[in-house]
Structure formats: C-alpha cells, structure tokens
Amino acid sequence: MGTIVDQSGRTRPLEQDHSVGRASNASLHISERYVSVQHALLRWTGTAWELKDLGSRNGTFLNGQRIVAGEFHPLEIGSRIAFGKTEQEWSLNEASEPRTMVVPADEGEPIEADSDLIAIPSPQDPIATVYRGTDGSWMLEQELAVTPISNQQTFIASGRTWKFSCADNVWKTSLATIANLDVHHLQLVFSVSRDEEHVRLQALSGAQTLELGDRGHNYLLLTLARRRLEDVQSGLPESSCGWVYQDDLAHDPSMAGPQLNIDVFRIRRQFAAAGVVDAAAIIERRPRTKQIRIGAEKLAIHRL
C-alpha cells in the first residue's frame, strides 16, 4: 500500500485519489493557514503515484522545487513533498498500489479490506461490515440496514465517523467466478458428532471440494441449515425458507449478542479465504427485523 511519512515519523496510507488541504473532508487534512482549502492531489495511475498542485496560493513542492499547478508530476520512493512551506515535508516511503479500506475521520489507523471484507471497528467487535456484493458493488451492513456504499462515502459506526476508500470500482472477473465458486453453486455438507460438539464442514462445487474444517462457528451454520431444510420440507416458498430471528438464537450463549456478529464475520471470512467470490452471501440478513439465514440452498447433514 502506498504511504507517505512526515518528519516526525508519522505515516499515512494513501487513498487512490488522495486529496490534501484545509477542507474537512481532505484525505490529508492540514489546518495551517498557509495550506489552501483544496491544495493538492496525490493519485495512483495504475502503475505509479503522481502529484498535482490544485492552484494553491502558496504552492506545492517536490524535492524542494515548486511544481507547475495543474500538471501531474511522477513520484518515486523517497520523493519529498511539501504543501505551502518547504519546512514541513512528507516523503513517499512506500509506492505500491492503494488498498480498499475505511479511514477514521479522527486520523486513527485505517482498516484494510481482507478478502473483500472489512469489520468495523474490528473482527472482534464487528458493529458494522463493509463487503463486496454479488454484483461486485460494495455494501455497508449495520444493525438496521444494508445499503450500497460508494467511494469516499462517510458513515458512523462505533461512535466514530469513517470514510470508505475504494481502490477499484470495477468488478474484476476472477478464476473463482469461472469455477462457480459462489454461494449459489455450493453444496454444504455438515458432518456432526452425536454429542454435537464437533461439526465438520465441506463445500462442494462441481468436482471441487473445499475442506472448511471443524470450527466453533460451524454450529451457527448448522443451526441455520436445519431451519432452512425444515422450511423447505414444510413447503414454504424459497424466499421465506430459513429465516431465523436473532433473539430466537439468544438462548444459546454461543450464538447470543456480540458473539453472533463475531461468528457471522468469521464465517464470511473463512469462505472468502477459501475463494468464494460472494462470501458475504453465505449469511443473509434482514437487519430491520433482525433475521438471518444461511445463503446456500443445497444442504446435507450427516451424523458421524
């Protein structure tokens, strides 16, 4: 990930279009009066970083020289950059491509996407989740809503304001898509011990078998799979099958409250790591009614 560092050693990750200025929504907010409201822009070209002055009053400097406003200038590792005054310099210390992430408005540490999933404020406390949808768009899931989210959009979660920074707005067809590694094509096979202390999970897609192991959160998936199979056997329409109120799961401490959200994120991350392109769809939510269900339709449960 591209980063710049100031003279005190403070490092800042670079967004794909990294604005600099006194504006409150600037990616690099500098409050000093010698910096213009919209001062400069650092941009990823797809292969390298470059710098442009946006017509600032006091200029933008590259390696001690004022650059021509309105023109992009290439950067390389070690390039020194200053905004308005040459005494306050930043340098480019990492020149790799930007990452999709959420950035706190209070200049805290950003959270990078892991397999197209971001847990906010952390995987241990996923109050909100940003994930890639089945059509390649990005979604924001919070307690009462699941909504599309676009590059540079801000939102509030865990008492803080965050900005979503998307490194690629174009859905890229992957080998996993070609191989039908998506939730719709998967068959999930649960192997359950008699005491139900162990739940081993496999995901089948054509000739492929994904060994997902024996994990504690598999029991949540098993519970949801049983409900979906029961509803199918009862003749309910597919759109109504499998939905469970979260409060109905709360009698089991392993699926109550915050632990439920943690397990949902862990399940999604596990499927993403296995190469499932729409891993977030393995658990579907109706936030306003606080219902969830397993997203896969093809399910089998075996006793060991």
Side-chain angles (χ1 to χ4, degrees), residues 115 117 132 183 267-269 271-273 276-283:
S115 300
L117 292 167
R132 179 93 75 170
V183 170
I267 289 165
R268 288 169 164 173
R269 184 170 59 184
F271 276 74
V276 178
V277 292
D278 57 345
I282 193 62
I283 298 287

Side-chain angles (χ1 to χ4, degrees), residues 214-229:
D214 181 351
R215 307 287 183 89
H217 53 246
N218 287 352
Y219 192 74
L220 171 60
L221 274 180
L222 174 65
T223 301
L224 298 177
R226 283 172 168 163
R227 172 60 66 88
R228 185 152 189 161
L229 288 172

Side-chain angles (χ1 to χ4, degrees), residues 2-211:
T3 58
I4 54 175
V5 60
D6 69 6
Q7 292 160 309
S8 69
R10 181 177 53 152
T11 300
R12 296 293 298 271
L14 292 175
E15 302 171 24
Q16 182 159 315
D17 292 291
H18 201 90
S19 59
V20 181
R22 290 204 329 272
S24 60
N25 62 346
S27 302
L28 177 58
H29 174 71
I30 303 176
S31 59
E32 280 79 358
R33 299 300 298 178
Y34 59 78
V35 174
S36 298
V37 175
Q38 296 180 335
H39 194 105
L41 177 70
L42 292 102
R43 183 180 72 173
W44 174 252
T45 67
T47 57
W49 291 95
E50 56 186 13
L51 172 69
K52 180 170 75 171
D53 181 85
L54 299 178
S56 66
R57 182 182 59 189
N58 294 319
T60 299
F61 299 83
L62 176 58
N63 297 325
Q65 300 298 315
R66 184 166 181 165
I67 62 175
V68 177
E71 297 181 4
F72 278 105
H73 299 261
L75 301 176
E76 57 187 24
I77 294 290
S79 291
R80 305 187 330 272
I81 309 164
F83 309 103
K85 282 186 177 181
T86 56
E87 293 82 3
Q88 303 294 325
E89 286 190 328
W90 295 77
S91 63
L92 184 70
N93 67 329
E94 174 59 54
S96 57
E97 65 184 13
R99 306 280 181 83
T100 295
M101 57 188 171
V102 293
V103 184
D106 57 14
E107 299 188 357
E109 288 296 317
I111 306 173
E112 295 180 37
D114 179 5
S115 300
D116 287 344
L117 292 167
I118 307 176
I120 305 150
S122 72
Q124 294 73 40
D125 186 23
I127 300 296
T129 302
V130 174
Y131 63 85
R132 179 93 75 170
T134 55
D135 62 353
S137 62
W138 290 90
M139 307 297 293
L140 170 64
E141 179 181 276
Q142 294 181 289
E143 183 179 1
L144 297 178
V146 177
T147 56
I149 187 169
S150 57
N151 189 35
Q152 301 298 300
Q153 183 175 330
T154 60
F155 61 94
I156 297 174
S158 192
R160 301 170 75 184
T161 298
W162 304 81
K163 179 174 65 175
F164 176 58
S165 177
C166 181
D168 61 349
N169 290 306
V170 179
W171 178 237
K172 299 176 182 177
T173 302
S174 67
L175 292 176
T177 305
I178 297 171
N180 290 332
L181 274 181
D182 59 81
V183 170
H184 175 72
H185 287 93
L186 293 181
Q187 179 186 15
L188 301 188
V189 179
F190 297 86
S191 299
V192 187
S193 65
R194 292 191 178 277
D195 60 6
E196 302 207 345
E197 289 294 322
H198 299 280
V199 180
R200 184 165 61 87
L201 179 60
Q202 294 176 309
L204 312 179
S205 180
Q208 299 182 81
T209 299
L210 305 178
E211 296 288 349

